[in-house]
Amino acid sequence: MEKITGYVEHIVYRNTENGYTVLNLVSGEDETTCVGIFSSIAEGENIEAEGEFTEHPTYGEQFKVARFEEKMPEDREAIERYLGSGAIKGIGLALAARIVRRFKEDTFRIIEEEPERLAEVKGISENKAQEIAYQVNEKRDLRQAMIFLQQYGITMNLAVKIYQAYGQEVYTIIRENPYRLADDIEGVGFRTADEIASRVGIKMDSDFRVRSGVLYTLLTASTEGHTYLPQEELTARTAKLLEVEPEQIEKQYMDLAIERKIVMKQGETTEIYASSFYYMEANTATMLKQLNVPYDVPDIEIEARIRTIEKQTGMELDEHQVTAVKEAVRNGLLVITGGPGTGKTTTINTIIRYFEGEGLDIFLAAPTGRAAKRMSETTGFEARTIHRMLELSGGVEGTAGFERNENNPLETDVIIVDEMSMVDITIMNSLLKAVVPGTRLILVGDINQLPSVGPGSVLRDIIDSHACNVVKLTKIFRQAATSDIIVNAHKINRGEEVVLDNKSMDFFFLKRYDADVIINVVLQLVKQKLPKFVDATPYDIQVLTPMRKGLLGVERLNGILQKYLNPPMSGKAEKEYGDTLFREGDKVMQTRNNYQLEWEIRTKYGLSVDKGTGIFNGDMGIVREINDFSETMTIEFDEGRMVEYPYKLLDELELAYAITIHKSQGSEYPAVVIPLLKGPAMLLNRNLIYTAVTRARKCVTLVGNENTFYEMVQNTSQQKRYSGLKARLREETV
């Protein structure tokens, strides 16, 4: 590492979000371009920087700063330059010269220790003197806090955030209860707080630590889909995490409940919720009951309208579909469920036309962009994502805020939501807040697919509660019955034998037993054979795999598929981030909801035609540009939405040539390729293979061991989800 010292003459570029800065540093006669993360730095400041010289292909020699510290200006010239640089508001060049002429090398001591003396200088009042002293001291305080926080392994970005939240209180909080950071600061998790606590010397069994550990365990459980944990399980998980005795955990529950951080629900066992999830389930249940009102419409009138619609459209409804339309007309709340090919789309289309004929306003929605797009294509009506329908606004510190809520509800008569199996309790609660009683709500979905990625088991709980009308569509229609994708999907769902003789036109099983051989076959299919067969590009064909790790896991497959589908080329920029190498032209996926990311749709001439915020877990796109100078990566998502990702957000993206079956929910692809070998029984179950097969429109190709396939079809075990919506719906309305 080399060191250079000088003053900041000019800040060329600054990213206010992450502190990435390009600046000119002057030392004597020399001028150096420095790049790196700088907390609040201003022109005129003196610094000592440590780092190394690098050669940028476009901008030439740069000094890449690893760390720096501020040096107080020592000579008159330097002091004058710093004060007159604009770093201190209200002091220009002329005033800076007068201050230094009066106090010489003693200037900074005067500012810090005797600020009232600044009023001796012409043009400075007593108030202004105090203001100047406050600014100089604040900058010094921030720097000191940075240095203090960085010794606990806290990054500069996070340190700025922490200091902004707590100010000078930060020292007390860090020393006494660093677990507050996990509650108060976005980006500080329990693990970080725990590491700080151990460095500070806080005891393993401290009350602060145990309480924070309980809340962290409940948060972790929510990422597995649970809205609560039974008390015994919560205690066992927390004890394992913290390495403390169960009794020390048990005695904290009551205090946490009194502080309203958890809710303890007594039943056969004691269920412990993080408060937010309990109230989400309770509110969701109350709101669903409020919507479930009957409408008195005679049978004969509905049937006559259905016959008219059938004549107009050439559609013919079976008895289950007719029942679904009748129930939609007669009830404020309805669930329609059924597998592929059972006529859910025809039913939805008939319901839309029925209500349209009544002069009612109708909104269509789905959980993901892809699902909404598919809904628009099959109905001919505009469908939006639930987030977009609720008018998402980038909330504070990454939390979602919706413009549509109980104070500003959706103005419509009917709402139809498709792909309900994907909707978690958080989104359901937000949706219902924006629906006024009297609006009809129709929920459509397939409960045999995988449950939502987020917590809860909304669709299944609503059906199992018997708290509202449910119509199950079971008949496979004639046109669908010619597709082996649909026929075999239903056989899988029923646990029946699927014939793997490859006599089909759209369902193939290539028996291979070695991982590397399987990968070779997958490559040939994606690159050469399937694009022609289904009239699509290799990028449209999706490899779906049950696992992230292992020989046929997402991580390994993506590395190999990238090499063959998007090989390195001169002029094709790359960016290495963690274990992933991104390259222009790569197929990528967003891995978590980011409500604040801004997107823009542009014309071919670069004019903006639409803007919005929010990119969500499962959204897929193509890397269009990697810009090392601005440290951004531009991704094009569905519908031409362009998003600039700062490098610090690249941990939200991963390659998507292969994705897990879980991540494919709600999407449809012209063709899917599913590599299969042995794996954990909990993972390789019927729901999983059913979901994978039903993602394909024109062709499914499985490559691997047929015994694994048969075992999956017979394996009905599912990871149990702890969710309380069913119980809340069965409770009497207060």
Side-chain angles (χ1 to χ4, degrees), residues 493-671:
N493 196 29
R494 294 192 294 266
E496 297 169 5
E497 189 185 349
V498 176
V499 179
L500 304 177
D501 59 4
N502 289 339
K503 289 180 179 172
S504 165
M505 289 307 291
D506 59 8
F507 191 98
F508 305 99
F509 199 110
L510 308 179
K511 295 172 187 176
R512 306 287 190 276
Y513 305 99
D514 175 81
D516 290 338
V517 172
I518 291 171
I519 290 171
N520 270 328
V521 172
V522 167
L523 270 169
Q524 282 177 14
L525 287 164
V526 174
K527 204 171 173 187
Q528 292 154 9
K529 295 187 176 173
L530 284 172
K532 292 176 196 160
F533 188 66
V534 296
D535 190 26
T537 70
Y539 275 52
D540 297 325
I541 293 155
Q542 193 58 56
V543 177
L544 300 178
T545 178
M547 286 164 291
R548 288 199 61 80
K549 307 279 182 192
L551 293 171
L552 294 177
V554 163
E555 291 172 10
R556 183 168 185 243
L557 282 170
N558 269 320
I560 297 168
L561 288 161
Q562 181 193 40
K563 187 176 161 187
Y564 286 97
L565 295 174
N566 187 30
M569 282 170 67
S570 67
K572 204 181 262 187
E574 295 179 350
K575 169 66 186 168
E576 200 166 340
Y577 190 89
D579 297 333
T580 308
L581 177 71
F582 293 104
R583 186 175 292 135
E584 286 175 352
D586 273 337
K587 183 177 176 182
V588 292
M589 174 190 273
Q590 175 77 7
T591 60
R592 65 181 81 137
N593 290 341
N594 186 324
Y595 301 104
Q596 289 182 305
L597 266 177
E598 295 177 356
W599 53 261
E600 186 176 51
I601 298 173
R602 304 170 191 150
T603 66
K604 63 179 180 181
Y605 301 110
L607 295 170
S608 176
V609 289
D610 197 6
K611 287 182 177 179
T613 56
I615 298 290
F616 303 107
N617 191 350
D619 284 355
M620 287 173 95
I622 305 285
V623 178
R624 294 297 182 205
E625 186 188 20
I626 295 173
N627 188 330
D628 267 341
F629 182 64
S630 62
E631 298 214 320
T632 57
M633 191 155 92
T634 304
I635 314 285
E636 182 176 353
F637 288 97
D638 286 347
E639 297 159 4
R641 291 174 301 154
M642 306 295 274
V643 180
E644 278 193 8
Y645 280 76
Y647 281 176
K648 68 166 185 172
L649 288 185
L650 295 188
D651 60 341
E652 296 186 5
L653 291 168
E654 59 184 39
L655 295 175
Y657 299 100
I659 61 173
T660 62
I661 297 166
H662 279 88
K663 289 282 191 190
S664 70
Q665 260 187 288
S667 296
E668 212 180 47
Y669 310 96

Side-chain angles (χ1 to χ4, degrees), residues 369-385:
R370 282 175 173 259
K373 193 175 172 189
R374 209 166 82 228
M375 198 179 184
S376 297
E377 287 164 357
T378 55
T379 62
F381 287 77
E382 186 202 6
R384 294 169 288 176
T385 63

Side-chain angles (χ1 to χ4, degrees), residues 688-717:
L688 198 75
I689 195 69
Y690 173 79
T691 301
V693 166
T694 53
R695 297 307 91 208
R697 236 182 352 258
K698 295 180 180 175
C699 178
V700 170
T701 310
L702 296 109
V703 187
N705 190 329
E706 70 275 23
N707 292 328
T708 302
F709 173 77
Y710 291 131
E711 284 164 17
M712 286 178 85
V713 174
Q714 295 312 316
N715 179 10
T716 54
S717 71

Side-chain angles (χ1 to χ4, degrees), residues 4 34-38 47-52 63-68:
I4 58 171
C34 296
V35 296
I37 304 291
F38 291 84
I47 62 167
E48 181 179 85
E50 208 174 315
E52 56 189 21
F63 189 74
K64 201 166 183 179
V65 178
R67 64 184 67 90
F68 78 99

